Amino acid sequence: MKKVAILFLGLSILLSGCGAGVFAEPTATATVTVTSSPTATATITPTSTITPTFTASPIPTPTWVRFGPDAVLVPIILYHRIAISPTDGVNYKSPYYVKPELFETEMKLLHDWGYTTITTEMLVKAINEGADLPPRPIVISFDDGNLDNYTTAFPIMQKYGFTGTLYIVVNYMSAENYMTPDQIKEMAAAGWEVGSHSVSHADLTSVDPSRQRYEIVESRALLEEKLGVPIMTIAYPFGVSNSGVIDYSIFAGYIGGMGLGFTHDQGTFNLFNLQRRDIKGTYDIKQFASFLPWQGDPAFFPTDTPVPSATPAGMPAPTFTPATPQ
């Protein structure tokens, strides 16, 4: 009996040892699995470091402030051509041409002084309802639809993070030295706003009511059809309007109208005669700066530079290559 017990005990020990051997390998495998898990986690860690970089980017929205309703202080500036005037260097200098170099200096000053472009829709909402806008909002508008608005003003403004509002004359589209619908659409896709500047650029105060209706009402319908973008505001040719012009503008469904003026005060009292400052090519940078309601650090103000000599009559005007957008 004692021999049987010893034999049974020995057999148990042998089986027990075989069991330890069987489970030893899975245990080792489990250890490998555990140590490989932190390794996999470590390879994901660099991805998570991208998030702080993105969130650290400056976002203007939190710093915006409440404007309106009703009276708001928002400058609106107006350009026509960003190019060298064909009469540059002779006795007459067209005020409607702003040299590209000067235009870029003006845009840089706005950027350095903390201005942010807004659309007229944002402005009208602030007037009617109140809205959050950047601390130094500005509307930059261009009348007529000149080609240099696309070739020159567009890339310069992109460089400084600005967008603008184009006021298009229907009959000027695709004419020589004017933008095509596709070029206007490209700018609209980049955040620019498009408004009407009438069908034919007629003085709306000097035509009969039927012509007023055509120029104001039909221009909106034609532009929306040709461009496929909403046309929400109108800029009156020559900056002039009267009660009939304003009545048709309201009837056409515009939310506001652009006139001309020397103040930055906008409100319900002039919603259809918003005040724009016409920026002429004869102004220097200091005159331009004097038109702005908010001044900036003088360190950003451009230093005086010698005035370049005029291009001799008969010589071709120099060309200008816009800075590469950033």
Side-chain angles (χ1 to χ4, degrees):
M1 186 67 180
K2 183 180 294 186
K3 289 181 179 181
V4 172
I6 293 171
L7 179 62
F8 179 78
L9 179 61
L11 182 60
S12 298
I13 293 171
L14 177 62
L15 290 174
S16 176
C18 291
V22 170
F23 289 105
E25 290 185 2
T27 304
T29 303
T31 303
V32 173
T33 302
V34 171
T35 55
S36 65
S37 181
T39 305
T41 304
T43 60
I44 299 173
T45 303
T47 305
S48 65
T49 61
I50 297 174
T51 304
T53 304
F54 176 77
T55 55
S57 300
I59 301 174
T61 305
T63 63
W64 288 18
V65 295
R66 196 71 175 173
F67 281 71
D70 197 10
V72 299
L73 182 67
V74 176
I76 307 172
I77 57 177
L78 163 62
Y79 292 96
H80 288 84
R81 294 180 179 273
I82 309 303
I84 296 174
S85 170
T87 62
D88 194 54
V90 298
N91 291 333
Y92 172 75
K93 186 174 182 180
S94 173
Y96 296 106
Y97 286 79
V98 174
K99 290 183 178 180
E101 294 87 350
L102 177 58
F103 178 76
E104 177 155 12
T105 300
E106 292 168 352
M107 294 302 103
K108 184 179 186 303
L109 185 66
L110 290 175
H111 174 271
D112 292 343
W113 280 4
Y115 282 82
T116 304
T117 52
I118 64 170
T119 63
T120 59
E121 285 193 66
M122 296 168 69
L123 170 59
V124 171
K125 182 177 181 181
I127 292 172
N128 287 333
E129 309 170 18
D132 289 340
L133 298 178
R136 294 186 174 188
I138 189 169
V139 176
I140 304 177
S141 63
F142 298 80
D143 280 5
D144 301 339
N146 297 293
L147 180 59
D148 53 62
N149 296 175
Y150 173 78
T151 59
T152 306
F154 183 28
I156 289 174
M157 290 178 64
Q158 279 187 312
K159 178 179 178 179
Y160 295 103
F162 292 156
T163 56
T165 301
L166 299 170
Y167 284 107
I168 304 298
V169 179
V170 176
N171 288 351
Y172 289 3
M173 283 193 297
S174 299
E176 186 177 4
N177 294 322
Y178 288 90
M179 287 185 286
T180 66
D182 285 344
Q183 290 168 335
I184 298 169
K185 288 178 185 178
E186 182 183 341
M187 295 176 76
W192 284 56
E193 190 179 35
V194 184
S196 169
H197 200 35
S198 80
V199 174
S200 66
H201 206 281
D203 180 349
L204 301 177
T205 64
S206 64
V207 298
D208 60 48
S210 63
R211 178 71 179 277
Q212 285 181 340
R213 178 187 175 107
Y214 171 71
E215 295 282 348
I216 297 169
V217 179
E218 289 304 312
S219 65
R220 184 182 187 213
L222 289 169
L223 287 171
E224 289 187 336
E225 177 186 345
K226 293 176 182 291
L227 301 175
V229 298
I231 306 298
M232 303 305 296
T233 57
I234 183 171
Y236 312 118
F238 312 104
V240 295
S241 62
N242 57 25
S243 59
V245 170
I246 291 175
D247 286 345
Y248 273 123
S249 298
I250 296 171
F251 173 78
Y254 297 106
I255 60 174
M258 292 284 178
L260 292 174
F262 301 95
T263 178
H264 308 302
D265 296 321
Q266 321 292 350
T268 54
F269 55 90
N270 68 335
L271 188 57
F272 280 86
N273 191 27
L274 294 168
Q275 300 292 285
R276 291 194 296 174
R277 165 76 69 162
D278 189 5
I279 305 300
K280 295 179 170 59
T282 53
Y283 297 152
D284 61 25
I285 190 62
K286 290 184 178 180
Q287 287 174 295
F288 173 80
S290 70
F291 301 146
L292 301 176
W294 304 292
Q295 302 293 302
D297 188 338
F300 290 116
F301 201 83
T303 57
D304 291 329
T305 55
V307 178
S309 58
T311 304
M315 294 289 288
T319 57
F320 173 76
T321 303
T324 303
Q326 296 179 347

